[in-house]
Amino acid sequence: MLVRLNPRRIAIGDGYHGCHGVAAIMARLTGLEILTLDEADLAKLQRGDVLHVETPLNPTGEARDLAHYASVARAKGAFLTVDATFAPPPLQDPFELGADVVMHSGTKYFGGHSDMLCGVLAVAPARAAEREENGNPLAGILGIEKLREDRLLLGGVMGSLEGWLGLRSLRTLELRVRRQAETATRLVAWLAGASARKNGSSVVAAVVDRVSHASLQEGAADESSWLRRQMPGGFGPVFALYMRTRDQARRLPSKLALFHHATSLGGVESLVEWRRMTDPRCDECLIRVSIGVEAWEDLRDDLLQGFEALAAENDKTTEGPKDDLRGALVR
């Protein structure tokens, strides 16, 4: 995408460290200026620059207001590009909110089975249909044939097996993603409620400091909010747990049975990752959770027994009151 657009500036916020790495390579090769999403930096954008937003955000699962960034991009004559990996169709449609390009790591939800590598760029129909015009070097720059030619020459072409696996997976995309999103939202509600019990009666509160997810953001319950308009199909299947200590975050994955410890997401199996292992910028107490298609009660019970194991290791001598949190469910 950056090779095709070749911007002078890119405004990019928090998110996948690989995208920041690609931007750094382009900065070395072309002098690309890397800006943040702070308002002062957004004011520096000019015609033909890129405003890149990841939503929901990796690794916390929080959403960003695309309509706001679309208005900024239009005013500056910049391209709005969106990494929507954490909320694939049918959860949100960035084109409806003004995005010019939508990017997905197809390895994740499009693939859905942890068995393929794939990247996807989707171009807004109006941009894809543009034709070159004299005096306007940006017209037609996102033409599909031009993108395909760049892809061919750069070598990012999928093999036949990966293409077949991708088609197989797209047939169940909506079923999988809706189930995963619903389960994640139920688990987040349970975890947020249990971790808020500060009186010592909750084993979850003993080890979990807080939970991060779009469903916990302001406006999540308001049908008229930007968040609900942006994600009408539900919130993403990825969320973050902030454990109370670094050691608890490091040890939790080994206490779980249904959750696999892996640095991917989006598959039919549920995964957890102590994110600090692969992203040194990340909070050392953060656990990234990717929900699969298992029964939510089984996932809840697996997390609960993992928390109990951590709590038992933390204090082998003191027995405190413990709730049976299986009964404290959010219906």
Side-chain angles (χ1 to χ4, degrees):
M1 182 178 70
L2 291 183
V3 167
R4 176 100 294 267
L5 294 175
N6 194 22
R8 293 182 181 273
R9 299 161 200 85
I10 181 171
I12 182 171
D14 294 334
Y16 180 49
H17 60 89
C19 291
H20 288 266
V22 170
I25 291 174
M26 294 296 291
R28 188 178 76 235
L29 295 176
T30 71
L32 174 69
E33 182 181 359
I34 300 175
L35 307 172
T36 70
L37 294 184
D38 293 338
E39 293 301 322
D41 272 0
L42 292 178
K44 299 176 184 178
L45 291 174
Q46 298 181 27
R47 189 165 178 262
D49 290 341
V50 168
L51 199 172
H52 183 73
V53 179
E54 181 177 305
T55 186
L57 199 60
N58 181 27
T60 61
E62 295 172 317
R64 295 292 179 262
D65 187 351
L66 286 180
H68 165 69
Y69 291 111
S71 67
V72 173
R74 283 194 297 271
K76 296 291 184 179
F79 294 97
L80 176 62
T81 66
V82 178
D83 185 340
T85 296
F86 276 37
L91 301 184
Q92 68 177 7
D93 182 358
F95 291 139
E96 289 287 334
L97 299 166
D100 296 302
V101 181
V102 177
M103 180 175 77
H104 287 271
S105 172
T107 305
K108 311 302 192 297
Y109 291 99
F110 283 17
H113 297 273
S114 305
D115 59 6
M116 63 176 290
L117 294 176
C118 171
V120 174
L121 284 183
V123 180
R127 286 291 191 187
E130 280 182 344
R131 294 293 180 262
E132 295 183 21
E133 299 174 2
N134 292 332
N136 183 4
L138 298 179
I141 195 171
L142 285 171
I144 294 298
E145 291 306 319
K146 291 185 176 182
L147 279 166
R148 285 176 177 161
E149 181 179 358
D150 283 0
R151 181 190 65 179
L152 175 66
L153 294 172
L154 290 171
V157 181
M158 291 177 65
S160 299
L161 176 59
E162 287 74 19
W164 179 85
L165 290 172
L167 289 173
R168 166 215 61 180
S169 299
L170 288 176
R171 295 180 182 123
T172 61
L173 175 66
E174 181 172 355
L175 297 175
R176 288 185 284 104
V177 169
R178 286 194 184 277
R179 164 91 174 205
Q180 289 165 299
E182 291 168 1
T183 299
T185 300
R186 295 184 78 175
L187 284 170
V188 164
W190 168 68
L191 287 163
S195 63
R197 300 181 184 185
K198 305 300 183 183
N199 61 4
S201 64
S202 165
V203 70
V204 181
V207 295
V208 176
D209 181 55
R210 59 190 174 94
V211 188
S212 175
H213 187 238
S215 66
L216 299 178
Q217 289 180 244
E218 183 178 357
D222 182 0
E223 293 285 351
S224 64
S225 68
W226 70 263
L227 182 56
R228 292 295 292 272
R229 290 195 302 270
Q230 182 169 306
M231 304 188 75
F235 304 108
V238 174
F239 61 89
L241 294 176
Y242 289 85
M243 308 302 288
R244 293 200 172 275
T245 69
R246 175 186 185 277
D247 189 56
Q248 289 172 345
R250 184 180 62 83
R251 290 188 291 124
L252 177 62
S254 67
K255 309 299 180 186
L256 302 175
L258 287 181
F259 288 88
H260 300 280
H261 191 196
T263 186
S264 191
L265 57 102
V268 293
E269 67 285 324
S270 292
L271 305 174
V272 294
E273 180 191 23
W274 179 39
R275 189 61 182 164
R276 191 60 174 261
M277 288 183 64
T278 52
D279 186 354
R281 307 170 307 155
C282 193
D283 189 305
E284 63 182 5
C285 294
L286 187 147
I287 291 285
R288 188 178 73 181
V289 184
S290 169
I291 297 302
V293 298
E294 304 93 341
W296 93 273
E297 296 90 345
D298 292 338
L299 296 176
R300 176 204 61 203
D301 291 351
D302 193 30
L303 287 170
L304 183 57
Q305 66 82 25
F307 298 150
E308 290 171 342
L310 284 180
E313 289 183 359
N314 289 342
D315 188 356
K316 298 179 183 299
T317 59
T318 303
E319 288 292 332
K322 297 179 181 178
D323 287 350
D324 180 0
L325 291 178
R326 295 170 182 81
L329 307 184
V330 177
R331 299 296 180 181

